[in-house]
Amino acid sequence: MSSDTKARIQAVARELFAQQGVRNTSLRQISERLGITKPALYYHFASRDDLVRSIVQPMVDDCERFVNACEPGIETRRLLEDYFDVIWKHREIIVMVVREMSTLAYLDLGRRMFEWRRVLIGLLIGPELTQEQQIRATVALGGLADCTVEYANLPLEEVKPAAVEAAAAALGLK
């Protein structure tokens, strides 16, 4: 029961944070939406910051796992498709971050995201990058992430093929 309540709190908070922003969402709003008391919410999360970290952490873990599991020589389209799958899974969190950039401070998210992107660019292009290749790879990966925000309400099967194709084109692939 306790873990079910915790998951329900996170789901409602994720939705409200994405709609209103972290700063504009109170724990009272979350508890009222759930029909629980604020003390019941505090039983599971000591603070709003604690709640935000608990929501962002799974995305951090999945992205770290993905980046660390990518092998040099991975086929470019496969890397783009797999990367899209990871970020699509966490699109609500990405929307939350884009809506309120201060969310990047949680778990040092901004630095980590740039680090992940640098590793993926190296895997896409290799260690000897020209400036143009680096720009193209940045556009490809950034474009994939932007699609998860801009088209978050569309079905995956409509967004993913077009997004991956556009990312591949940005890299100069046919």
Side-chain angles (χ1 to χ4, degrees):
M1 178 84 136
S2 179
S3 66
D4 180 51
T5 301
K6 191 172 188 173
R8 287 179 43 233
I9 292 168
Q10 289 170 318
V12 167
R14 193 171 26 254
E15 178 186 330
L16 289 173
F17 291 158
Q19 289 172 0
Q20 304 174 171
V22 173
R23 289 186 182 154
N24 293 329
T25 303
S26 69
L27 293 181
R28 181 188 50 75
Q29 288 175 302
I30 296 167
S31 64
E32 285 176 359
R33 170 83 64 93
L34 288 162
I36 63 173
T37 63
K38 256 177 79 175
L41 194 146
Y42 278 115
Y43 172 79
H44 296 284
F45 299 99
S47 66
R48 181 175 40 195
D49 286 353
D50 186 33
L51 177 55
V52 172
R53 278 196 268 317
S54 79
I55 290 169
V56 173
Q57 188 65 55
M59 181 188 79
V60 170
D61 293 345
D62 282 354
C63 288
E64 294 273 342
R65 206 172 5 262
F66 172 75
V67 169
N68 291 331
C70 286
E71 298 285 332
I74 184 172
E75 196 266 322
T76 301
R77 281 190 194 274
R78 178 162 176 235
L79 187 145
L80 294 172
E81 289 172 354
D82 292 350
Y83 176 65
F84 187 85
D85 289 340
V86 170
I87 58 177
W88 182 263
K89 175 182 174 185
H90 297 288
R91 64 192 179 279
E92 287 179 321
I93 296 166
I94 295 170
V95 167
M96 189 174 92
V97 169
V98 168
R99 178 170 179 74
E100 191 168 318
M101 297 302 266
S102 65
T103 309
L104 288 171
Y106 291 93
L107 304 168
D108 200 17
L109 191 55
R111 181 193 57 77
R112 287 177 179 210
M113 291 174 92
F114 281 112
E115 189 177 296
W116 300 330
R117 185 167 290 176
R118 278 192 297 278
V119 170
L120 294 175
I121 287 171
L123 290 166
L124 285 168
I125 299 175
E128 300 299 318
L129 306 173
T130 67
Q131 187 174 28
E132 180 183 347
Q133 288 173 315
Q134 190 166 1
I135 291 168
R136 286 175 168 274
T138 300
V139 167
L141 295 172
L144 288 175
D146 288 352
C147 285
T148 67
V149 172
E150 189 68 31
Y151 307 108
N153 295 322
L154 293 177
L156 171 66
E157 58 276 0
E158 288 182 26
V159 180
K160 183 179 176 180
V164 170
E165 188 59 37
L171 291 168
L173 304 175
K174 300 292 178 207

